């Protein structure tokens, strides 16, 4: 029996407990930065299986270390947090939890992104690997990151001295439930998820009476010019074959028709797939806003604030190749190549801080028959996606697939065949 089959033979024995653990996590979601109970629960599981456990990293982050002789160190990362979404799935274990968000508002909370699936698979993987430590060597590091949805948790863990607490790994791995058939896994080499940046830009004008515009600098006209000119960033400055998005999602200025406001506030979101394109877009935005302010005779420099920022997720080809080969060997026809995703992730901040290669793959979360029927009718877009109130992966084969993927990928380093 191969090492991977030997390790995974234990899955049937933990399946019932894993499903119960998942349903319990699903019923008790916690918002970003507030994942205290969730962190405690996963830490308990690691402890039970003989891992050295570090808690409270960057807030509520948890990392387990299982040192099992000489060999590579493999870090596998998942997320602790849920979303301010009101679940509408009708599942018997659906969440009815409410909590206060960062702004103090009462919101419903739901694991609508599948982080509960990721945690359950990680805990299952940790147990299987701990039970079969005679079959591999090296160091296994399951890591549970807080506040992924707000794009802060990975950096928080790094800033809190993560790599002073755990060994610097040789490789970092992560997975996410993504649109696709449950039971499939999908890898992709190179750029995989977009870098995303949100900017809040304040452009100063000079306020006054609407009847005497000659004494004012009208920030509404200034903002309008900026918005039009920003449309040329993607169309004129990004190469036609490159993919990028720039959206002005919000523009606020003024209070009534006969008052000229003294400033305007624009909120922008941009997405890109290479560091060079991202830099080029940010430079263009700064240049255009400054130049339009100058053209309008703005009395002060504009103010730029980054409200959130996700790095690009670009999978290392050698690392991806190794995982893809392991998946092809184990999953056969259910190991696929993933398309590029327009969503974003902060995972890469962890391997980037350590200067180590990484790969990130998807596991499907839609029941096979449901997916194939929707595909036939051209209705794939209508299927509930991540962050939807209707998002709910089938327990199986999702949990088994996610667990097997983690084991197969970790063993590609810890017990190479
Ligand atoms: Zn999400
Ligand atoms: Zn997510």
């Amino acid at each position: 029996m191969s090492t991977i089959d030997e390790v995974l033979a234990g899955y049937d024995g933990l399946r019932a407990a894993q499903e119960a653990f998942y349903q319990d996590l699903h019923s008790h979601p916690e918002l970003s930065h507030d994942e205290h109970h969730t962190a405690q629960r996963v830490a308990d599981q690691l402890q039970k299986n003989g891992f050295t456990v570090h808690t409270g990293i960057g807030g509520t982050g948890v990392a387990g270390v299982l040192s099992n002789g000489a060999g590579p160190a493999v870090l596998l990362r998942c997320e602790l947090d849920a979303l301010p979404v009101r679940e509408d799935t009708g599942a018997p274990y659906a969440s009815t939890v409410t909590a206060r968000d960062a702004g103090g508002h009462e919101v419903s909370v739901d694991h609508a992104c599948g982080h509960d699936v990721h945690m359950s698979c990680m805990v299952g993987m940790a147990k299987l690997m701990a039970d079969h430590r005679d079959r591999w060597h090296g160091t296994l590091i399951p890591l549970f990151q807080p506040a992924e949805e707000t794009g802060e948790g990975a950096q928080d863990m790094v800033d809190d001295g993560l790599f002073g607490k755990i060994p610097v790994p040789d490789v970092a791995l992560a997975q996410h439930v993504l649109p696709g058939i449950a039971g499939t896994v999908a890898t992709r080499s190179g750029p995989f998820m977009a870098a995303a940046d949100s900017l809040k830009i304040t452009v100063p004008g000079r306020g006054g009476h609407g009847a005497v515009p000659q004494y004012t600098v009208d920030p509404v006209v200034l903002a309008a010019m900026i918005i039009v000119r920003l449309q040329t960033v993607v169309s004129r400055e990004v190469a036609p074959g490159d993919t990028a998005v720039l959206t002005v999602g919000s523009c606020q200025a003024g209070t009534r028709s006969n008052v000229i406001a003294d400033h305007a506030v624009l909120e922008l979101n941009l997405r890109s797939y290479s560091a060079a394109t991202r830099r080029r877009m940010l430079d263009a935005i700064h240049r255009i806003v400054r130049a339009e302010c100058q053209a309008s005779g703005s009395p002060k420099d504009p103010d730029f604030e980054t409200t959130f920022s996700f790095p690009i997720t670009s999978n290392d080809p050698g690392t991806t190749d190794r995982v893809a080969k392991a998946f092809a060997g184990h999953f056969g026809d259910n190991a696929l190549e993933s398309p590029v995703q327009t969503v974003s992730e902060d995972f890469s901040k962890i391997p980037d801080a350590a200067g180590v290669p990484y790969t990130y793959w998807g596991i499907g979360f839609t029941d096979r028959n449901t997916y194939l029927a929707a595909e036939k009718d051209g209705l794939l877009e209508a299927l509930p996606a991540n962050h939807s109130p209707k998002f709910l992966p089938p327990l199986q084969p999702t949990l088994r697939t996610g667990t097997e993927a983690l084991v197969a990928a970790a063993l590609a380093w810890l017990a190479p065949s």
Side-chain angles (χ1 to χ4, degrees), residues 138-157:
T139 303
L140 182 67
I141 309 169
L143 181 142
F144 298 76
Q145 179 204 305
E148 185 280 328
E149 295 292 357
T150 57
E152 298 159 316
Q155 192 63 49
D156 288 348
M157 289 188 84

Side-chain angles (χ1 to χ4, degrees), residues 177-243:
V177 286
L178 290 175
I181 297 173
T184 63
V185 293
T187 55
R188 185 177 187 89
S189 200
F192 181 51
M193 284 185 275
D197 296 274
S198 277
L199 303 180
K200 186 172 176 178
I201 302 173
T202 305
V203 292
R206 188 163 51 241
H209 199 292
V212 287
Q214 71 274 26
Y215 300 137
T216 72
V217 173
D218 187 343
V220 171
V221 175
L222 169 56
M225 293 308 213
I226 291 172
I227 292 166
V228 171
R229 184 79 202 219
L230 286 176
Q231 307 309 311
T232 66
V233 173
V234 173
S235 70
R236 304 289 84 188
E237 300 199 38
V238 173
D242 200 354
T243 304

Side-chain angles (χ1 to χ4, degrees), residues 37-68:
H37 296 290
T38 309
Q40 189 56 54
R41 302 217 43 208
V42 298
D44 288 348
Q45 294 292 320
L46 295 177
Q47 209 118 41
K48 228 166 63 181
N49 286 301
F51 286 75
T52 303
V53 182
H54 304 269
T55 58
I57 311 173
T60 58
V62 177
V65 178
L66 187 60
S67 303
N68 190 29

Side-chain angles (χ1 to χ4, degrees), residues 297-317:
S298 204
K300 275 195 299 188
D301 285 338
D303 182 67
F304 297 87
E305 184 195 341
T306 301
T307 48
F308 74 72
S309 184
F310 286 89
I312 183 172
T313 304
S314 188
N315 288 331
D316 174 62

